[in-house]
Amino acid sequence: MRVEPTIKTGPVKTQAQIKAVSKKRFKYRSLLTYAAFVGPALLFFLVIQILPFLMGVYYSFTSWNGVSSVVEWVGFDNYKQIFTDDQTFFNSFVFTTKFMFAAVIISNLIGFGFALLLNAALKTRNILRTVFFIPNVIGGLLLGFIWQFIFVKGFASVGNMTDISFFKMPWLGDEKTAFWGIVIVFAWQISGYMMVIYVAALQGVDTSLLEAARMDGASNWTLLTKIIVPLILPAFTICFFLTISMAFKIFDLNISLTGGGPFNSTQSVAINIYQEAFQNNRYGLGTAKSILFFVVVAIFTTFQVMLTKKKEVEA
């Protein structure tokens, strides 16, 4: 009698088990794909942003001069010195805050005005968009030196020819006029960038809503304030956030136009930190100032985003 060999097989998998295995494999592949795309960017972000920031927090509690291999821990002495014995830093913060408010309002008004103009059916709107955006392409230092020549030489020549007092003012030699000179150049540079964002938002507005409002007798001002502005509030959120952060961090325009003068009256916080760390060789104190600066900018921008986002929800 012949006995047939038996073949041992594993347990038969059910349909649910097969689906579970397939689901695990799909998750594993998705995780690998996600890591392949996000991993390098995350690595660079950690190395370039997070690690230097944490090192900066550490150095803010030291008296390191930026060169020596000896790093002495001083605790909160740097922060105590900033709050008790550094009037220059406080003055630079006051200047930067005033500059921020003026620059944000003016640059956004100009950018939004340009956007409304170029959103109309103009034959030259593409050329004008390029013209208005070009200042943003020019580097801040180069732009500052160009405008320094305009303020010092150009305005003086026009003032001598026309005898107009506006052109005869010491634009970079007086505290008040130097402040507005920096505001003018900043707004001239950044308004084109804001214009691009506002134009993109305006093009997303449903024209049927505007036509229906016009048929109901709404004026242009009513269309602007009651329909257009509420619909593009997300663009205002982005533009306000960008201009606030850019205005707070102003450095290249400031140093090329006035260098913080006259008599440190137009010294921004960024210039003060730069001088403290790299000219006075007090890297620990300069880093402490930069940490405080980071906290203040974060508070301002967070409050602004929360406020404008709340308005978006209400609209």
Side-chain angles (χ1 to χ4, degrees):
M1 181 177 177
R2 185 179 177 183
V3 179
E4 296 291 335
T6 58
I7 301 174
K8 294 183 179 181
T9 60
V12 179
K13 293 183 179 180
T14 63
Q15 192 72 19
Q17 289 176 327
I18 294 173
K19 287 183 178 180
V21 172
S22 300
K23 190 174 182 181
K24 286 183 179 179
R25 289 178 179 174
F26 178 75
K27 286 183 177 180
Y28 182 70
R29 290 175 182 174
S30 299
L31 182 62
L32 287 178
T33 304
Y34 182 79
F37 282 99
V38 179
L42 181 61
L43 178 63
F44 279 109
F45 178 75
L46 291 174
V47 173
I48 297 174
Q49 297 285 345
I50 302 300
L51 184 59
F53 176 78
L54 295 178
M55 291 177 64
V57 173
Y58 166 73
Y59 284 126
S60 69
F61 295 100
T62 68
S63 62
W64 187 42
N65 60 8
V67 179
S68 174
S69 59
V70 179
V71 181
E72 182 183 355
W73 182 268
V74 295
F76 287 94
D77 289 352
N78 289 329
Y79 294 94
K80 291 178 182 177
Q81 182 177 345
I82 293 171
F83 286 108
T84 59
D85 191 28
D86 201 333
Q87 187 64 32
T88 304
F89 183 67
F90 175 76
N91 293 337
S92 66
F93 237 118
V94 172
F95 164 79
T96 307
T97 304
K98 291 193 298 183
F99 170 80
M100 182 272 296
F101 281 111
V104 167
I105 294 172
I106 294 174
S107 58
N108 277 281
L109 283 176
I110 295 174
F112 185 59
F114 283 164
L116 289 175
L117 176 66
L118 299 181
N119 195 50
L122 297 176
K123 293 182 179 179
T124 58
R125 61 182 177 180
N126 291 331
I127 299 175
L128 291 175
R129 286 177 187 175
T130 304
V131 171
F132 293 151
F133 187 75
I134 281 178
N136 187 255
V137 180
I138 305 174
L141 281 174
L142 179 60
L143 196 66
F145 287 124
I146 291 173
W147 272 91
Q148 185 186 66
F149 175 81
I150 293 173
F151 281 130
V152 175
K153 301 293 185 181
F155 277 22
S157 299
V158 174
N160 292 331
M161 289 187 296
T162 61
D163 202 29
I164 299 176
S165 59
F166 176 82
F167 295 103
K168 287 186 173 184
M169 291 190 294
W171 277 97
L172 301 181
D174 181 73
E175 178 181 350
K176 293 181 179 179
T177 53
F179 171 84
W180 288 109
I182 300 173
V183 171
I184 290 170
V185 179
F186 179 87
W188 186 78
Q189 180 189 28
I190 212 68
S191 295
Y193 186 29
M194 300 302 107
M195 174 202 69
V196 172
I197 300 175
Y198 285 128
V199 166
L202 288 172
Q203 290 179 345
V205 176
D206 191 356
T207 55
S208 62
L209 294 175
L210 303 179
E211 292 174 359
R214 286 193 183 96
M215 292 178 64
D216 290 338
S219 63
N220 291 332
W221 178 252
T222 303
L223 290 176
L224 178 64
T225 56
K226 301 299 182 181
I227 298 178
I228 295 177
V229 171
L231 288 176
I232 65 169
L233 275 178
F236 281 98
T237 301
I238 296 172
C239 290
F240 284 154
F241 176 81
L242 290 174
T243 48
I244 287 174
S245 59
M246 290 176 182
F248 260 124
K249 296 183 295 184
I250 185 172
F251 176 79
D252 46 6
L253 279 180
N254 194 187
I255 203 168
S256 58
L257 277 171
T258 64
F263 306 108
N264 293 330
S265 60
T266 62
Q267 184 186 78
S268 66
V269 176
I271 291 181
N272 184 275
I273 294 172
Y274 167 78
Q275 291 179 347
E276 195 70 71
F278 300 106
Q279 292 184 359
N280 300 336
N281 291 328
R282 291 189 288 193
Y283 195 89
L285 183 59
T287 309
K289 290 182 178 182
S290 67
I291 297 299
L292 291 176
F293 184 43
F294 165 78
V295 172
V296 172
V297 175
I299 291 173
F300 267 91
T301 52
T302 303
F303 176 75
Q304 172 263 314
V305 170
M306 290 175 60
L307 182 63
T308 51
K309 280 291 183 182
K310 183 180 178 182
K311 294 292 183 181
E312 289 179 26
V313 174
E314 291 177 355

